[in-house]
Amino acid sequence: MMKFRLWLSGALLLGLTSVAAAESEAPTVLPNLFPFPNATGILKTFNATGRLDLTGPFFQSLGTNGRSCATCHQPADGWSVSAAHVEDRFERSHGLDPIFRTNDGSNCDHNIDTATMEGRRKAYSLLRTRGLIRITLAVPAGAEFDVVSVRNPYGCSETSTLSMYRRPLPATNLRFLTTVMWDGRESSPQTGTKPITFATNPADLLSDLAHQAMGAALGHAQATTAPTQEQQKKIVDFEMALSTAQAIDFGAGALDVQSASGGPIILSEQPFFVGINDPLGLNPFKTPFTPVIFTLFNNRWAHVSGPEEHGHHPDRRASILRGQALFNSRTINISGVGGLNDATGLPVINGTCGTCHDSFNVGNHSTGAPLNIGIADVTNPLGVHYLPVITLRNKTDGTELSTTDPGRALISGKWTDIGKFKGPILRGLAARAPYFHNGSAATLKEAVEFYNIRFGMGLTHQEIADLAAFLTVL
Ligand code: HEC
Ligand code: HEC
């Protein structure tokens, strides 16, 4: 196993992280299901069209700053970036890798020192330590609120354009998306894109992704002209063919053997349609909601004997199985969640993880449902002192509210949308820490601890460990 891991990290160093930088030695194709190691196991991507071509427009510099899509969407990192790998890239490139650009890679884009290594270390601290990219958006015309003040620890306290700090979402498993971007802005009439619905899918998603790719090239890559329609289509076709999941856990062994159905190949066959399992009755065939979201692991898998024979530890499998059961059945008294409690008029919903993560074996919301669970709140128990404090005032009644990121409200202009984000896909998590839109959970255990505190779940240490183990093998 040791030899295997060394070989893999060698392959990683060979230049997957900087395809553009080391053109001559960089591989131009990867075998399908190429194994990428992370702290707890091995992540694989199944590409429906065969081997992975690393020369297409997704991997090309489409702009003026040397970045490609892969700069922030790395195959090894579940097609996002892990903060640990960003830090590696900083050290190896002395902070000059194309991800370190001041347009949106640094904490702020003015009054910063990027001439020295020390200056760059400071300027890119949020990207290095939390994998955060600066997203700038203006309050939309006609919004129900205006900006009173911005207190940004890095400068960039302008109120005309707000700076928010967000994690790159994975550019894989996209066929399950019911809204594009954390705030759904690439699936919104306000940006000329389309809401994703049962009736219009997948045409809506494909056009949203093409629009997103154009925006990413013009923004992140600072292109002076938009990618051609053909380039956009190639990018979208490329992304749509990818299915990514943890395939092997160092403790539990392969995740798709002995009647288990983890890993990317089975994920690529997962049935899905918009609204497939909506708790608010939006299933197009009126099929009732079920909280049993994940059915990847079962008793038979957990209790196979002979660890030396199959390279797994039975305790780890049992913990994962308990974690899956907790996800599917542990009651959460959901209260104060914007987009859910207010939408249903129920002050408390006796829900589960699956009330919000309802797509079968994927875990995003099966309809576009912006929700406020409190991740952007200044009182987020995980601690968000590293983020700006943005104070908004309701134009109708004068109420003031502080948040670290207005989320959906900066698209819709609605006061009630402040702090709302989408429930993201829960696959390939182990490869892309930290978690939540603002990277406030350093580990999956911390993500579970957030829910334990926020909803007073009373989880035991063992239950927290089991839930985290389960999330780790998705
Ligand atoms: C500088 C880093 C960076 C680069 C370069 C970049 N992205 Fe992203 N990407 C992000 C961030 C950050 C987000 C989330 C932003 C948000 O939701 O506000 C994101 C979101 C996405 C999403 C949305 C996924 C979802 O679940 O909604 C897709 C798809 C995507 N990027 C594709 C691309 C493509 C295609 C390119 C190249 C044309 C690209 N990105 C270049 C950082 C980057
Ligand atoms: C009330 C709705 C709701 C419930 C209940 C809920 N989640 Fe979430 N979850 C969300 C939303 C919304 C996000 C994105 C929040 C953000 O980043 O602002 C999220 C994000 C996550 C993430 C981070 C994923 C990533 O890519 O960063 C994990 C992990 C997660 N949830 C696990 C769970 C688990 C485990 C449970 C049950 C203990 C659970 N969630 C219960 C709505 C919910």
Side-chain angles (χ1 to χ4, degrees), residues 57-58 62 67-73 98-99 103-105 131-135 137 166-172 174 177 179-185 209 212-218 220-221 227 235-236 239 422 424-425:
F58 190 91
L62 297 176
R67 284 174 170 176
S68 71
C69 306
T71 301
C72 300
H73 298 282
I99 200 169
N103 60 317
D104 61 7
L132 292 171
I133 296 294
R134 190 172 64 97
I135 304 290
L137 292 166
R166 298 186 187 162
R167 296 276 296 129
L169 281 156
T172 185
L174 297 183
L177 288 190
T179 195
V180 179
M181 309 308 255
W182 284 106
D183 53 15
R185 68 182 177 280
L209 290 173
Q212 190 282 334
M214 185 175 64
L218 293 169
H220 298 307
I235 290 173
V236 176
E239 295 173 318
K422 73 166 169 181
I425 287 171

